């Protein structure tokens, strides 16, 4: 296979093999990125029914979008080769990382939380892994976890040879009597081993086995053969982890493992979210040093009365310490002797902090003025000081940074195409320094230069420009993606976060200003916070959602020692800046950072759909912090259906738009799909069964009552026809759209493409046109198309009309009541916005240029373009979900 080309992928190297097929490292020749290609064994795809089931399962898995789940790029066939293209993750598998003695406690908790987070997200989407094992978890070079092969084990379930279907490459795996390597069977749940139906709780059992092995280096269930291993899973409990290792072990961790590994499904953890929260709490206690002696199971040994008395004193001290920690603000645990204090109390977004060199002032960006955009503010650090607004332009201003003498602030603005500006720290006239879309400008230590990087672009560059004004000088263009992070304390080097070739992990590099080659520091970094580093003395301050100290050698620029965690908050801590502490103590810092949170709720936008213009200001429909998505409205706008996510489950609800009265129609563990009928009397929905998406379509009265089944194994519901007599649903791979008649249950395919996925089909008001989006090429962004209806089906592709085929992604179309305007979501303006296109009444060809209808204000608000968007379309207003990010500034010293 090496050197061969499969579709657009050039095979570079073999990564591994298993019962499902072989995995190769490849280069995507269209997008110039690395990918992993799983070439599926021909015998696994020979049976048509099994192939169809596999495609459906893989298609569902490909919809997962999560930082700890490997992204599936596509499922395709090239000649006689079936393959899956997915994200390439440089690193090693978890079984290679575990070794024979297990992992350190902090590594077990760090990786365990990430794996639990991935499983929780998959379960929420109705997907059960079924084959969780160390070989299906990648530990990337940057320390992040990526879980592989969600749902793909379903294909192997029909295989007569389970040994072959679950083969792994682990060298120390036990052999059966015939010498076959046994792998997955060691991680099966009891119900899976007995061939019973499995749900998300089976994954929880497998996760318990995984966690046990991470702690001990030994498998929880291990026999000399396949049958003896299954017997152990069904009848035996593993030895306590502390007994296996002979090392001290947190009691809560052993309790978590034991509860995951209970044979009785009803006595296990019921939701992966609960496992994740339990591990996160234990991790915070461990990271902050609060793990009390009473929380640790020590080695078995005889204890003298003196030891027991000492232990009692330690327990009392630990309890007192816990009370002190509880008195701190929620989500704000710290280590390294740091004390936290909140500096701002804004309801909106306040972020991008900087601190003056003398430690007396902070600057930050905030939308507290109430006009939607971010402005630069400055504030004294003395208690009770009032902030002063420095900028008032409607465009967003961000990334403030002080000059070495504290007299000036440099910042970026999005006005007039973007630029870097300088303003006096206490207010005054602004001065343009450098034009362009730039980020993170900072003065050099001597104040003579300002460095900045092109923002969020591949092949990005870092510049320095004289602070007094003048021509910029390019200092770094050797990276595919590079972001300026900080100046070195001596001002002779800069720190850059980036990578040189597509597919490589992000890392920190030291770039000499004299033109020398970039020096790798040896620090891999996560992408969560693209501009989040400062360089003070011999250390770099970094954020990956919490704050860390990374020490660098002054002569080589290389990392020395282990990273030191500074905070362990549950909120997202980002954009840290630091100066040496006022105390003058060596290595002590004064740190300012932003702590941010996000939620998603429903908003209403008054709009004249026929005139294609908004007629009022948007407002939040329900003023709380709950998460709500997937709205749909009755035609008259009086009744709303939506999906609500609670702390432990999802629900489908209806709401009377006049009175606010609500009714819960359905509640379940995984996220359902639901749409209300045009007359507002019925809600159609898909639910989940045993943690999986169910393609059965049900109908329930919108006022509440008993559900009835409309059709088995139809597909995922999308919408109703305009007359309310049919329901649109999607299915298959490539995805196609069909209709099912509500009265008769008869089904009919209405729109499909032999090669590409079709999305978001909408009938025109007169039922004579379909609007939808699709990408003619997987490497191209999606565009909006219209297709005339011929005998209830879409006309051929040659008659399709492109509505907005331009840079950006165009998705989720819907019609004006007269059919002469098409609305859609577009990223043509840089973020997801509501756009419109007028149409010629007869031909439906575009009339003039498309135009923007609604742009979420500032950086605080944003729109997601998936099926969660809806929207709910009323006669005079829209209802759609808006993500809101809020934050405030904290100081740690």
């Amino acid at each position: 296979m090496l050197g061969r080309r499969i579709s657009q992928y050039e095979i570079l190297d073999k990564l591994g093999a298993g019962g499902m097929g072989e995995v190769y490292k490849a280069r995507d020749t269209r997008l110039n990125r690395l990918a992993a290609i799983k070439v599926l064994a021909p015998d696994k795809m020979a049976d048509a029914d099994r192939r169809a089931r596999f495609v459906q399962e893989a298609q569902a898995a490909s919809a997962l979008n999560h930082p700890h789940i490997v992204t599936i790029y596509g499922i395709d066939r090239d000649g006689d080769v079936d393959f899956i293209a997915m994200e390439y993750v440089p690193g090693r598998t978890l079984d290679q990382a575990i070794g024979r003695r297990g992992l350190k406690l902090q590594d077990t908790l760090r990786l365990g939380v990430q794996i639990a987070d991935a499983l929780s997200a998959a379960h929420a989407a109705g997907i059960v892994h079924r084959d969780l094992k160390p070989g299906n978890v990648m530990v990337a070079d940057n320390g992040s976890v990526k879980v592989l092969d969600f749902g793909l084990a379903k294909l192997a379930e029909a295989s007569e040879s389970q040994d072959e279907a679950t083969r792994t490459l682990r060298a120390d795996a036990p052999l059966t009597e015939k010498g076959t390597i046994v792998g997955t069977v060691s991680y099966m749940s009891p119900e899976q081993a007995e061939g019973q139906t499995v749900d998300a709780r089976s994954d929880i059992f497998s996760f318990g086995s995984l966690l046990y092995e991470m702690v001990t280096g030994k498998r929880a269930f291990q026999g000399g053969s396949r049958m003896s291993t299954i017997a152990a899973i069904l009848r035996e409990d593993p030895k306590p982890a502390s007994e296996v290792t002979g090392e001290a072990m947190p009691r809560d961790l052993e309790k978590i493992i034991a509860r995951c590994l209970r044979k009785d499904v009803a006595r296990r953890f019921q939701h992966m979210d609960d496992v994740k929260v339990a591990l996160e709490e234990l991790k915070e206690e461990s990271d902050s040093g609060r793990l009390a002696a009473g929380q640790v199971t020590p080695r078995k040994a005889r204890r003298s009365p003196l030891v027991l008395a000492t232990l009692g004193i330690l327990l009392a001290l630990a309890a007192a310490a816990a009370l002190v920690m509880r008195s701190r603000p929620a989500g704000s645990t710290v280590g390294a002797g740091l004390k936290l204090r909140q500096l701002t109390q804004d309801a909106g977004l306040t972020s991008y902090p900087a601190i003056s060199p003398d430690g007396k002032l902070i600057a930050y960006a905030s939308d507290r003025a109430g006009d939607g955009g971010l402005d630069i503010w400055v504030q004294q650090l003395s208690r009770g000081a009032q902030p002063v607004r420095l900028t008032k332009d409607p465009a967003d201003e961000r990334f403030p940074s002080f000059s070495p003498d504290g007299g000036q602030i440099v910042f970026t603005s999005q006005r007039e195409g973007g630029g870097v500006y300088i303003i006096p720290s206490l207010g005054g006239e602004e001065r343009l320094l450098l034009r362009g879309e730039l980020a993170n400008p900072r003065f050099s230590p001597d104040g003579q230069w300002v460095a900045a990087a092109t923002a969020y672009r591949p092949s990005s560059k870092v510049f320095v420009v004289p602070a007094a004004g003048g021509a910029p000088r390019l200092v770094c263009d050797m990276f595919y993606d590079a972001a300026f992070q900080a100046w070195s304390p001596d001002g002779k080097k800069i720190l850059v976060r980036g990578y040189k070739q597509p597919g490589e992990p992000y890392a920190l590099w030291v770039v000499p200003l004299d033109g020398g080659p970039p020096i790798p520091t040896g620090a891999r970094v996560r992408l969560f916070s693209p501009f989040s580093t400062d360089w003070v003395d011999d250390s770099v301050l970094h954020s990956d959602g919490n704050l860390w100290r990374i020490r660098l050698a002054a002569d080589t620029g290389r990392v020395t020692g282990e990273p030191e965690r500074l905070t362990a908050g549950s909120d997202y801590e980002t954009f840290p800046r630091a100066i040496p502490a006022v105390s003058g103590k060596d290595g002590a810092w004064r740190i300012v950072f932003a702590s941010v949170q996000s939620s998603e709720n429903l908003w209403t936008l008054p709009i004249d759909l026929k005139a294609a213009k908004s007629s009022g200001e948007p407002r939040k429909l329900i003023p709380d912090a709950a998460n709500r998505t997937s709205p749909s409205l009755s035609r008259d706008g009086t009744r709303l259906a939506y999906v609500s996510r609670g702390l432990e489950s999802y629900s489908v609800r209806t709401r009377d738009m006049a009175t606010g009265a609500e009714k819960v129609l359905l509640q379940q563990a995984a996220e359902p799909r639901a749409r209300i009928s045009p007359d507002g009397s019925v809600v159609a929905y898909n639910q989940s069964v045993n943690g999986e998406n169910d393609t059965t379509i049900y109908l329930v009265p919108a006022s509440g009552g008993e559900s009835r089944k409309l059709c088995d194994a139809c597909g995922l519901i999308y919408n109703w026809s305009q007359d309310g007599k049919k329901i649109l649903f999607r299915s298959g791979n490539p995805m196609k759209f069909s209709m099912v008649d509500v009265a008769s249950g008869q089904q009919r395919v209405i729109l499909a493409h032999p090669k590409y996925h079709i999305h978001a089909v909408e009938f025109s008001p007169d039922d004579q046109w379909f609007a939808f989006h699709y990408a003619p090429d997987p490497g191209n962004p999606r565009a909006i198309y219209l297709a005339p209806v011929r005998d209830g089906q879409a006309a051929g592709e040659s008659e399709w009309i492109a509505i907005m085929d331009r840079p950006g992604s165009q998705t989720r179309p819907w019609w004006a009541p007269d059919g002469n305007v098409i609305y859609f979501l577009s990223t043509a303006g840089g973020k997801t916005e509501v756009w419109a296109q007028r149409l010629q009444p007869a031909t439906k060809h575009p009339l003039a240029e498309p135009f923007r209808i609604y742009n979420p204000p500032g950086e605080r608000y944003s729109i997601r373009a998936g099926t969660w968007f809806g929207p709910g379309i009323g006669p005079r207003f829209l209802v759609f979900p808006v993500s809101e990010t809020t934050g405030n500034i904290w100081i740690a010293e």
Side-chain angles (χ1 to χ4, degrees), residues 498-510:
Y499 58 87
K500 290 188 173 182
Q501 298 294 331
E504 292 179 351
Y506 281 89
L508 293 178
W509 300 73
V510 172

Side-chain angles (χ1 to χ4, degrees), residues 66-68 114 117 142 144-146 497 506 525-532 542-546 572-575:
H66 190 274
H68 300 309
Q114 296 179 51
D117 193 26
N142 63 1
S144 179
V145 156
K146 294 279 189 176
R497 176 200 58 83
Y506 281 89
V525 297
R526 301 183 190 182
L527 188 55
F528 299 150
S529 188
F531 302 101
S532 58
H542 176 68
S543 167
D544 70 347
N546 293 141
Y572 181 58
E573 299 159 344
T574 186
F575 297 111

